[in-house]
Amino acid sequence: MSHEKNVCICRCEEVTEGEILRAIEEGARTVKGIKIRTQATMGLCQGRTCRRLIVNILSKHVDINDISKLEIGIRVPVRTIKIKNFIYDEGKGYE
Amino acid sequence: MGEEIIKKSQVVVIGAGPAGLCAAIEARKAGATVLVLDENDRPGGQLFKQIHKFFGSGKHWAGLRGFRIGENLLKEAGQLGVKILLNAEVYGIFDDMTVGYIRNGVEKAIKGERIIIATGGIENALPFPGGTLPGVMGAGGVQTMVNIHRVLPGKKILMVGSGNVGVIVSYQLMQAGAEVVGIVEAAGRVRAYEVHLNKIKRAGVPIYTSHVVKEAIGKDEVEGAIIARVDDNLNIIEGSEKHLDVDCLCIAVGLNPQIELPYIAGCKFSYIPERGGYIPVFDENMETSVKGIYVAGDVAGIEEASIAMEEGRLAGIACAGSLGLYDKETEEKLKKEVKKILRAMRTKHDSRIIHSLTGIPSNDRFEKGPVAVIECKEEIPCNPCESACVFGAIKVGEPITNPPVLFEEKCTGCGRCIPKCPGMAIFLIHKNYTDKTSLIKFPYEYLPVPEKGGLVSCVNRNGEIISRGRIIDIKASKKDDGTKIIAMEIPKEYFNDVRGIQIRGDGI
Ligand SMILES: Cc1cc2nc3c(=O)[nH]c(=O)nc-3n(C[C@H](O)[C@H](O)[C@H](O)COP(=O)(O)OP(=O)(O)OC[C@H]3O[C@@H](n4cnc5c(N)ncnc54)[C@H](O)[C@@H]3O)c2cc1C
Ligand code: FES
C-alpha cells in the first residue's frame, strides 16, 4: 500500500521497503531471512511494529497462511525488559 | 527463576481488559483462586480510554460509557476477591505452565493450573513517506493523550481510516476541542457503523473515500499532508493530489491480535485477515491447541468489548469446569447461556444488511404531536432504546442485531429514549410546535453548551448550515452521564432536515 521504495518499514532499525524488497530478491522467504539481511525486527520494539508489515510484503511472494513456515522470530522475552531484572544477587535478591 | 519459590494460582489471567476481567470473575465465582496480571497502572484495558457510550445489550451495561463498564467490572471482581496485580509485564510462558513477569523491576513467576491469555490487540502501522515525523500517531496513543491525560496531540487533525475506531476517535477529538480536517479511507466506502459516522457528518467533517495519504510533510514535525484518490487496485490516480493543512495525522487502520504469548506457548494459529491476521486456534471452550491454555477477547480475533466479555466468561467457566469446580451439568448450562448471547451478537453482524427505516413515524403521526424519530437502520448488536421506552413503543427483540421498530401510536413524545441511544440516533420532533415553527430535541455532547434563549446555526445530517434556530431548553441530567438534551425551535419547513447545531459556531 505504500508508494515509494524509501518508505520506512522498521522504525527501530531504520529499514526501508526498498531494502526489504531487495532482501526478498536475494532469496529471503521468511521473516528471519529478511531479519538476517536487514536487521528489521531486531530493534527496541522487537518487531512489534514492523513484523506485520514485513509479513504483508512477504505475502506477495510466499504463502503466508502457515505461520510456522515464516520463522517469525517471536521468543522470550516478549517484552523489552532490562537484563538486570534477571540477575539474582545472594545478598540483595534481584538486581 | 532464581531461588524464589514459585507461587501458584489455579487460574492465571494475562491482561485486565474486559475479556480478562470477565474470565477472572467467572473463574472466581466458581471458587477458583485467580490472579490477573496487567502491565498498566490501571486495569480495564481499552475500556479506560473509551469515553463514548457503548453499543450492546442491557446485560452488558450498554449505553454506559466504556470506562464506566470498566469500573463496574472492577467492582465486581473486587467484591469476589479476584487478585489483580498491576504494573506486571508478562514476558513469557514456560513449559510447566509458569508465567514469568516483571514487576517494579523485579522478575517474578507464578504457576497456573490454567492460563487465560487476554492480551487484546495492537494497532496496525501504516507506512507512507513522512510517516515517521512527530505528529503522526496511532489512534490508541491519541486516545490515551486526549481522554486520559487531557492533552491535545494537535489542533488540526487528519484521521486515517474510517472504521469505528477512526470515527469514534474523531468524535472524541472534536469534543476535546480539535478540528478534524477530514477522514481518509482507502476503500470505496466508510467502514464504521452508520450511526457513528452520522455523528461526525453532522459536525461537517469531510470524508474522503477511495483516498490514501500520499505523504506527510514537514521538517521537524507534521506541517501538512497530501492525500490522493486511488483506483480500485489502490493505485494513486495521478493529478488527484490534494494538500491539507494539518498538524497531526491519526492512524486508525485496524488492530491485530497480540499473539506473542500464545505463540511462545506453542499454540497453533490460523490466518484470518477479517479478524486481524494470525489468530490462535481455539475450541468451543476457548481452549487453544495447548492443553490448559485459553484465549479470550481481541487476542482471539479483533471484535468488540461486548464480545470480549462473553468470550472471557466462557473461558472462565470452562476453566472452572475443567478444574472440577462445577459439575458437568452446571458447567454446560452456564456455557450454553454465554454461547447463546455470543451467537446473537454475531448474527448477520458481518453482513451489514441495511434495512429500510423502521424507526421513522408516518406523516400523519408527525401532524399529531411530538414523536421519536429513530435514524438507525443497520444491524448493530444494540438494544438500550428498547428498555428506555416505558410505553413499549420501541422494539428490537431477538436477535439483538434487529434494527429498532417504532410503534408510533404508542409513542407519547416523552423523549426518554434520546440519551439512551449510544449511537445518538434518536431525535424528538414536534412538527406543529407553533404555526410556523417546529421543535426538535437532540442529544449534544460538545462544549461549550449553547445558552438558553440564544440563536444558533442549525445543521442538517451532512453538517451544512441550513437555517437558524432558537434554544428553548437544555436538559442535563446526572443519569445521562454528560449527554445534554437540547430543545430547539426551528422553521417548520426544516423539521425533517435539521439534526443538530454548528459546534462552537456563532451564537454559542
Ligand atoms: C476507539 C475504540 C472504540 C471502541 N468502541 C467500542 C464500542 O463502542 N463497543 C464495543 O463493544 N467495543 C468497542 N471497542 C473495542 C473494545 O475496546 C475491544 O474489543 C476490547 O477492549 C477488547 O478487550 P480485551 O480484553 O480483549 O483487550 P484489551 O482491552 O486490549 O485489554 C488487554 C490488556 O492486556 C494487557 N496486556 C497485553 N499484553 C500484556 C503482557 N504481555 N503483560 C501484561 N499485560 C498485557 C494490555 O495492556 C491490556 O490492558 C472500541 C475500541 C477502540 C479502540
Ligand atoms: S519497528 Fe522493527 S523492530 Fe521496532
Side-chain angles (χ1 to χ4, degrees):
Chain A
M1 270 252 303
S2 54
H3 311 280
E4 284 182 33
K5 298 284 176 270
N6 61 357
V7 167
C8 182
I9 299 292
C10 176
R11 299 173 69 130
C12 300
E13 294 293 319
E14 300 190 356
V15 183
T16 63
E17 184 175 4
E19 287 170 280
I20 293 187
L21 291 172
R22 201 171 323 129
I24 294 174
E25 255 166 49
E26 283 172 12
R29 288 293 177 271
T30 64
V31 176
K32 185 177 176 189
I34 288 170
K35 174 176 97 174
I36 53 181
R37 286 174 176 86
T38 65
Q39 296 198 10
T41 76
M42 290 177 74
L44 191 65
C45 84
Q46 289 289 292
R48 272 158 56 86
T49 314
C50 60
R51 188 177 285 118
R52 186 186 159 88
L53 298 173
I54 292 170
V55 171
N56 280 350
I57 300 174
L58 268 174
S59 71
K60 292 175 194 119
H61 304 267
V62 293
D63 177 10
I64 59 158
N65 275 297
D66 186 352
I67 196 172
S68 66
K69 297 215 171 91
L70 287 180
E71 298 185 295
I72 204 142
I74 297 171
R75 61 176 65 84
V76 176
V78 303
R79 289 298 165 94
T80 347
I81 46 181
K82 296 188 181 113
I83 293 287
K84 72 172 186 188
N85 294 336
F86 286 97
I87 301 168
Y88 189 80
D89 181 311
E90 282 297 321
K92 285 191 275 175
Y94 284 95
E95 183 156 1
Chain B
M1 251 129 263
E3 306 300 305
E4 216 183 9
I5 298 154
I6 293 173
K7 297 207 173 71
K8 285 190 180 138
S9 176
Q10 279 179 304
V11 179
V12 175
V13 181
I14 307 169
L21 287 176
C22 284
I25 287 170
E26 287 304 326
R28 182 74 199 126
K29 266 190 206 161
T33 51
V34 183
L35 178 73
V36 185
L37 302 165
D38 194 286
E39 62 196 334
N40 297 294
D41 58 7
R42 65 167 98 183
Q46 298 264 7
L47 286 178
F48 274 101
K49 295 188 227 169
Q50 309 305 345
I51 56 167
H52 63 286
K53 292 182 178 172
F54 268 42
F55 291 152
S57 77
K59 221 179 137 62
H60 297 96
W61 308 291
L64 286 192
R65 299 187 186 280
F67 67 96
R68 301 253 186 252
I69 300 176
E71 285 167 0
N72 288 355
L73 286 177
L74 270 185
K75 207 165 129 205
E76 193 181 352
Q79 282 164 353
L80 285 165
V82 170
K83 258 179 79 184
I84 304 179
L85 269 191
L86 298 171
N87 300 309
E89 202 171 11
V90 175
Y91 69 86
I93 297 176
F94 303 93
D95 285 346
D96 58 347
M97 299 284 280
T98 303
V99 174
Y101 63 96
I102 305 283
R103 189 157 186 260
N104 302 330
V106 181
E107 195 264 333
K108 300 211 155 151
I110 175 116
K111 206 172 157 117
E113 287 173 49
R114 302 286 180 275
I115 296 172
I116 301 176
I117 303 176
T119 45
I122 181 168
E123 281 181 292
N124 293 338
L126 182 72
F128 55 87
T132 53
L133 279 173
V136 180
M137 299 182 66
V142 166
Q143 274 200 314
T144 307
M145 278 179 76
V146 175
N147 300 343
I148 302 214
H149 302 296
R150 296 171 184 250
V151 176
L152 270 183
K155 293 210 167 74
K156 290 162 149 277
I157 320 260
L158 178 64
M159 183 62 64
V160 184
S162 73
N164 283 319
V165 174
V167 168
I168 290 170
V169 177
S170 294
Y171 180 64
Q172 294 173 349
L173 278 162
M174 289 190 288
Q175 286 183 299
E179 180 192 347
V180 177
V181 174
I183 300 189
V184 172
E185 168 60 56
R189 65 165 174 81
V190 170
R191 294 168 191 268
Y193 286 127
E194 196 177 34
V195 287
H196 283 324
L197 174 67
N198 288 347
K199 285 194 294 194
I200 60 158
K201 271 171 100 178
R202 287 201 286 276
V205 175
I207 318 282
Y208 300 96
T209 48
S210 299
H211 272 75
V212 295
V213 179
K214 192 179 174 196
E215 190 179 351
I217 38 189
K219 202 166 147 279
D220 298 319
E221 56 186 358
V222 173
E223 290 163 21
I226 296 173
I227 63 168
R229 183 176 281 283
V230 288
D231 62 22
D232 292 347
N233 300 319
L234 297 182
N235 294 315
I236 286 182
I237 299 170
E238 287 293 326
S240 68
E241 288 85 356
K242 188 179 161 88
H243 178 272
L244 294 177
D245 179 20
V246 298
D247 58 6
C248 173
L249 276 80
C250 178
I251 311 296
V253 292
L255 291 100
N256 62 89
Q258 267 199 87
I259 56 161
E260 286 94 344
L261 289 173
Y263 187 89
I264 55 158
C267 300
K268 288 207 176 75
F269 285 84
S270 56
Y271 184 67
I272 310 176
E274 309 80 67
R275 291 274 165 91
Y278 296 110
I279 291 163
V281 176
F282 54 87
D283 68 8
E284 51 159 28
N285 288 326
M286 304 305 299
E287 189 168 7
T288 66
S289 58
V290 178
K291 212 176 153 21
I293 297 190
Y294 296 69
V295 283
D298 278 356
V299 71
I302 305 296
E303 287 182 274
E304 299 186 334
S306 42
I307 293 199
M309 287 187 248
E310 293 309 321
E311 285 185 345
R313 291 215 159 83
L314 193 55
I317 296 165
C319 276
S322 75
L323 287 167
L325 297 168
Y326 280 132
D327 59 73
K328 257 292 126 310
E329 205 179 317
T330 317
E331 182 191 348
E332 288 309 319
K333 193 176 135 255
L334 292 170
K335 287 199 297 203
K336 221 169 124 188
E337 279 166 27
V338 178
K339 282 182 199 166
K340 192 173 152 218
I341 301 172
L342 271 173
R343 243 194 329 273
M345 284 191 301
R346 285 174 172 145
T347 307
K348 289 186 245 152
H349 177 61
D350 295 329
S351 60
R352 300 179 43 117
I353 296 171
I354 310 281
H355 290 255
S356 58
L357 283 168
T358 48
I360 306 291
S362 65
N363 288 341
D364 278 359
R365 181 61 186 81
F366 273 123
E367 297 302 331
K368 282 187 190 143
V371 64
V373 177
I374 311 175
E375 302 194 345
C376 170
K377 58 179 164 50
E378 235 174 0
E379 301 215 326
I380 301 174
C382 184
N383 69 3
C385 54
E386 184 168 37
S387 51
C389 183
V390 294
F391 305 103
I394 305 177
K395 184 165 166 55
V396 175
E398 287 190 29
I400 184 181
T401 44
N402 287 340
V405 178
L406 175 77
F407 296 101
E408 57 180 35
E409 70 288 356
K410 288 191 188 161
C411 175
T412 63
C414 71
R416 262 177 252 194
C417 49
I418 303 174
K420 290 290 182 290
C421 172
M424 301 179 79
I426 306 184
F427 307 86
L428 194 91
I429 291 174
H430 186 180
K431 186 181 174 194
N432 299 318
Y433 181 61
T434 68
D435 274 358
K436 293 217 174 70
T437 62
S438 300
L439 188 82
I440 171 170
K441 289 188 185 173
F442 59 94
Y444 196 73
E445 294 185 334
Y446 294 102
L447 290 172
V449 181
E451 261 170 49
K452 203 166 150 174
L455 278 174
V456 292
S457 299
C458 309
V459 295
N460 64 11
R461 297 181 183 85
N462 292 321
E464 293 149 355
I465 296 171
I466 53 170
S467 95
R468 302 282 283 170
R470 184 185 303 280
I471 305 293
I472 301 295
D473 189 32
I474 296 161
K475 196 173 135 242
S477 157
K478 211 170 161 212
K479 277 201 320 283
D480 299 337
D481 203 6
T483 310
K484 316 263 186 316
I485 309 297
I486 296 188
M488 177 168 72
E489 189 179 14
I490 53 170
K492 194 176 282 190
E493 69 239 58
Y494 294 120
F495 84 96
N496 213 0
D497 301 303
V498 166
R499 285 299 176 268
I501 56 175
Q502 189 191 16
I503 310 161
R504 293 180 270 276
D506 61 336
I508 299 185

